[in-house]
Amino acid sequence: MDCGIDEILLRLKGTREYEILSGIKEIYYSLEKCQNEWYARTEFTCPAGCGKCCHNFEPDLSEAEALYLAAWLLQNQTDKAYSIADGTFTYSPERTCILFDNENSYHCTCYNGRAFICRLFGGSCVKDKNGFPCWRPCKFYPDSRLASHKPPIFHREYDMEETMQLFGTLPPVMSDVTAQALGFTPENEKTEPLRKILPEKIRLLVTILSFLESTPA
């Protein structure tokens, strides 16, 4: 059962990591709410069992989103978290994200803890050269499903006005959402590959939790 990160948050209360995780949790909640409204209006949800965006790709994570994924794994998949931290976890042999499972119809094994790029892919806008939102259908979205839309949609960029004419709404803007996340760690705005930063953040949280639980109240 996925219980989010509430248990880990409770144990981290009073720390810098608690503030970061609480902030990211709120952004993820707001993002999901906004995207659900977009999906309900447009019906542009991922085709069942697709997972093509996970192939030949490994996300880079900021410190804040890596901490969130680390906390989520520690709470919901504790054994996996420890094996990732100590280097004994066997990553997917496929040319995919290291947390991809080809045998699972949902593919992503950390779905509710996943990074921003994974949440935003296919369900967000980018900004054009003038700073206005524009939308492009996911490159993996079937042509037949795009063609069945009234009016038909194509694999091209739609500016803000065109997108509003099609759907009457816009999905979240990717750069705006990620900028919010970086705001929680202004001293460290770099991103690093998942397989490098995730073990580090799991070990960090384990160390902090062990210290907190060994310190007298």
Side-chain angles (χ1 to χ4, degrees):
M1 179 180 178
D2 179 2
C3 299
I5 63 166
D6 288 347
E7 179 188 322
I8 297 292
L9 271 178
L10 184 63
R11 294 163 63 190
L12 287 169
K13 200 158 188 177
T15 66
R16 168 182 176 271
E17 286 68 26
Y18 173 87
E19 299 302 325
I20 294 172
L21 289 170
S22 296
I24 294 295
K25 177 184 174 182
E26 185 60 32
I27 295 177
Y28 281 167
Y29 174 81
S30 297
L31 174 60
E32 183 177 10
K33 184 174 183 293
C34 186
Q35 284 183 313
N36 284 343
E37 292 170 358
W38 161 260
Y39 293 138
R41 291 283 293 273
T42 66
E43 299 183 356
F44 272 103
T45 54
C46 297
C50 179
K52 291 180 181 177
C53 58
C54 304
H55 288 262
N56 299 307
F57 176 74
E58 180 178 333
D60 278 12
L61 276 63
S62 66
E63 178 185 4
E65 57 192 323
L67 276 171
Y68 190 95
L69 178 52
W72 186 88
L73 286 167
L74 282 168
Q75 179 163 326
N76 296 282
Q77 299 178 12
T78 308
D79 290 344
K80 179 188 288 187
Y82 277 99
S83 65
I84 290 172
D86 66 21
T88 59
F89 179 69
T90 302
Y91 294 126
S92 169
E94 310 288 337
R95 291 179 59 83
T96 62
C97 170
I98 60 175
L99 297 176
F100 180 89
D101 181 1
N102 198 46
E103 302 303 316
N104 185 324
S105 60
Y106 295 100
H107 300 309
C108 180
T109 61
C110 62
Y111 189 77
N112 288 325
R114 69 198 188 284
F116 276 112
I117 187 62
C118 306
R119 294 169 188 266
L120 290 163
F121 189 88
S124 64
C125 282
V126 296
K127 290 184 177 179
D128 64 20
K129 62 182 180 181
N130 297 313
F132 294 106
C134 56
W135 172 78
R136 179 188 293 271
C138 171
K139 63 182 179 180
F140 301 117
Y141 209 82
D143 289 331
S144 58
R145 291 183 65 173
L146 292 177
S148 67
H149 189 271
K150 305 296 181 186
I153 295 172
F154 304 94
H155 280 290
R156 70 168 179 86
E157 188 174 280
Y158 290 82
D159 64 26
M160 182 171 64
E161 183 177 345
E162 291 175 311
T163 307
M164 289 298 294
Q165 287 175 347
L166 282 170
F167 308 118
T169 187
L170 293 170
V173 178
M174 182 178 292
S175 58
D176 290 348
V177 175
T178 53
Q180 285 182 302
L182 290 173
F184 291 107
T185 56
E187 74 286 354
N188 182 15
E189 295 189 350
K190 69 177 181 178
T191 60
E192 296 183 275
L194 174 61
R195 72 180 65 218
K196 178 180 186 299
I197 195 170
L198 181 58
E200 293 174 359
K201 297 309 174 186
I202 294 174
R203 290 193 292 268
L204 173 64
L205 289 182
V206 169
T207 300
I208 293 171
L209 290 167
S210 297
F211 174 78
L212 291 172
E213 288 160 8
S214 65
T215 303

